[in-house]
Amino acid sequence: MKKITKAVFPVAGLGTRFLPATKAIPKEMLPIIDKPLIEYAVEEAVNAGITEVIFITSHTKRAIEDHFDQNFELEEKLMNSGKKDFLNKINRDIFQNIKFTYVRQKSQNGLGDAILHSEHLIQDEPFAIILADDLILNSPSCIKQLISAYEQNQSSIIGLNEVPKNEIEKYGIVSVQESSSGKTLLLKDIIEKPKTNAPSNLAVVGRYVLSNKIFEYLRNLEPSVGGEVQLTDAIKLMLKNEKVMGYLYEGIKFDCGSRHGYVNAIRHLAEEIFEE
Ligand code: UTP
C-alpha cells in the first residue's frame, strides 16, 4: 500500500473577499492571532505524516515562500539578543525535514486547474489536498482522520460536514449511496454550489485524499461554475468509474476564506489565550 507523503496546498486564489487586506498580502498569510493561516494547514499535514509540501502559488504569494524559508538575519538577531525562545517559532523543528516545492499557476483558472499543476510532482501516488482557508481544529486532525480512512478503504476520500440549508449553495454537495451509513460514506454524486435541488446537506470541506487518477479527469475539463475549472467536476467524473468515499470528520471548522469564519476562528483561539 502506498503511504500518503505528499500534500498539495492550492494558494493561488485571488482572495477577493478579503480586499483590501489581500491586495499585497496573500490571504493565507493573514494571522490567526500570531500564526498565519497557512502555517496551521502545513502543521496539520506534517503532523499527519506528510513529508512533501507542494504549494500551487502565484506571483502575488511570494510571502508564503519566504515564510517557510530560513531568515538568517532574524535568527542571528534573536540569538544575540537573548531571545532564543523565539527561534523555534520562526524555524520550526517539525519542518526541518520537509521538502517544500512551489509551482506557479499563471492564470487563476480555478481550483481544478491549480491541482492539475501538481501532476508532475505527484506522479503515480495517492496524495492529500488541503485548502488552508478551512481551519479545522481537532486531534487527530481532519487530514489524519482522512488518511486513516484512506488506509482502511483504499479509495479516494473527501472530507464532509453537514451545513445549514441556507448555506448549501456555497459548497460542493454530495449524494451518498442509500446503503451507506456511519462516518465513511460511499458517494453517488457530487455537484458544485447547487442553486436548487441539492441532493443533501453534506458539503465538501477543504481536505481530500485522492488517487492520482484525478489528473486524467482534470486534464480534459472545461470551466464550469464561476467560469473556473472545478475539482468537484473531476471528482464527479471519477466516481462514475471508481469508488470515492466521503468522510464525516470530527472537528471544529472555521471557513477563514470568509470574514465571518475568520473572526470566529480568532475568537475561538483567543479564549485559550485569555485562559492562560
Ligand atoms: P476560493 O474559491 O476560496 O477563491 O478558492 P479565492 O480566490 O481563494 O478567494 P475569493 O473567493 O476570491 O475571496 C478555494 C481554494 O482554491 C485556491 C485558493 O487559493 C483557495 O485555497 N485557488 C482557487 C487556486 O489555487 N487557484 C485558483 O485559480 C482558484
Side-chain angles (χ1 to χ4, degrees), residues 126-141:
F127 65 107
I129 299 174
I130 297 188
L131 307 190
D133 285 6
D134 280 342
L135 174 64
I136 306 179
L137 303 175
N138 201 11
S139 178
S141 67

Side-chain angles (χ1 to χ4, degrees), residues 93-147:
D93 294 341
I94 61 164
F95 298 154
Q96 290 310 309
N97 297 317
I98 306 302
K99 196 164 155 186
F100 289 91
T101 308
Y102 300 84
V103 180
R104 288 271 178 103
Q105 183 191 25
K106 289 196 187 118
S107 161
Q108 277 54 69
N109 294 330
L111 175 60
D113 178 66
I115 300 301
L116 191 54
H117 280 68
S118 66
E119 185 178 9
H120 63 295
L121 296 167
I122 298 298
Q123 297 189 341
D124 61 351
E125 291 172 44
F127 65 107
I129 299 174
I130 297 188
L131 307 190
D133 285 6
D134 280 342
L135 174 64
I136 306 179
L137 303 175
N138 201 11
S139 178
S141 67
C142 181
I143 202 67
K144 178 77 188 156
Q145 294 172 47
L146 286 192
I147 290 174

Side-chain angles (χ1 to χ4, degrees), residues 16 24 31 36 38 42 46 62 80 83-84 109 121 139 154 172 174 223 228 258 260 266:
T16 36
I38 189 68
V42 173
V46 168
R62 288 192 193 111
N80 297 336
K83 292 182 177 165
K84 281 192 192 147
N109 294 330
L121 296 167
S139 178
Q154 290 297 300
V174 300
E228 296 190 339
S258 76
H260 198 261
I266 292 177

